[in-house]
Amino acid sequence: MYPTDRKYTREHEWVRVNGDTAEVGITEYAQKQLGDIVFVDVPTVGKTVPANEEFGTVESVKSVSVLYMPVGGKVGEVNPDLESEPELVNMEPHDTWMIKVQVSDKKQLDGLMSADAYEKYLASEGD
């Protein structure tokens, strides 16, 4: 169910690396838990965010959820579509990236889960 070309966090973010750039978004599981997403707040281009630190929030009709950076880096791009269409995250969570970052240390990816490990993690959590 979860794409194998990326890594996953226990906080339900995904990261897909291409060279020195990483796309970051939330998983299918996260968007289902949130419900209808109405706003995505992410940092501005140029901001450096360390791994495991808060980088934004997702607001749904149910709640506001904090986003955590899977891998540290400098924000190079923000998905412009999410400003007017945050519901894209609900429709295609694994195809809708929120930010792109220049990865500061690729070794940080080693601490993240593969798709298979993430699915086992969800199963162990009872979901």
Side-chain angles (χ1 to χ4, degrees):
M1 175 176 164
Y2 289 89
T4 58
D5 65 342
R6 56 201 80 192
K7 299 279 192 162
Y8 299 87
T9 71
R10 284 178 163 65
E11 291 77 27
H12 312 291
E13 289 87 17
W14 58 260
V15 59
R16 176 173 42 197
V17 178
N18 184 5
D20 291 333
T21 302
E23 296 175 337
V24 179
I26 64 170
T27 66
E28 173 91 13
Y29 173 83
Q31 72 82 25
K32 282 183 179 178
Q33 295 300 307
L34 286 165
D36 293 333
I37 293 172
V38 296
F39 185 71
V40 178
D41 181 34
V42 294
T44 57
V45 171
K47 181 171 181 165
T48 299
V49 182
N52 305 313
E53 294 293 319
E54 181 180 327
F55 77 88
T57 57
V58 175
E59 184 177 337
S60 72
V61 294
K62 291 182 181 179
S63 66
V64 175
S65 183
V66 174
L67 299 167
Y68 292 95
M69 186 66 92
V71 60
K74 184 176 182 179
V75 178
E77 194 174 342
V78 172
N79 188 334
D81 297 333
L82 295 180
E83 188 172 329
S84 60
E85 298 179 273
E87 67 276 6
L88 290 172
V89 176
N90 288 114
M91 293 185 281
E92 297 288 340
H94 294 135
D95 292 327
T96 306
W97 56 272
M98 296 177 173
I99 60 173
K100 291 185 181 181
V101 298
Q102 295 299 314
V103 179
S104 59
D105 182 2
K106 286 188 180 178
K107 290 180 182 175
Q108 293 171 343
L109 294 166
D110 295 341
L112 302 176
M113 293 179 274
S114 66
D116 185 52
Y118 181 67
E119 289 176 22
K120 288 178 183 171
Y121 170 71
L122 292 178
S124 74
E125 295 290 303
D127 293 312

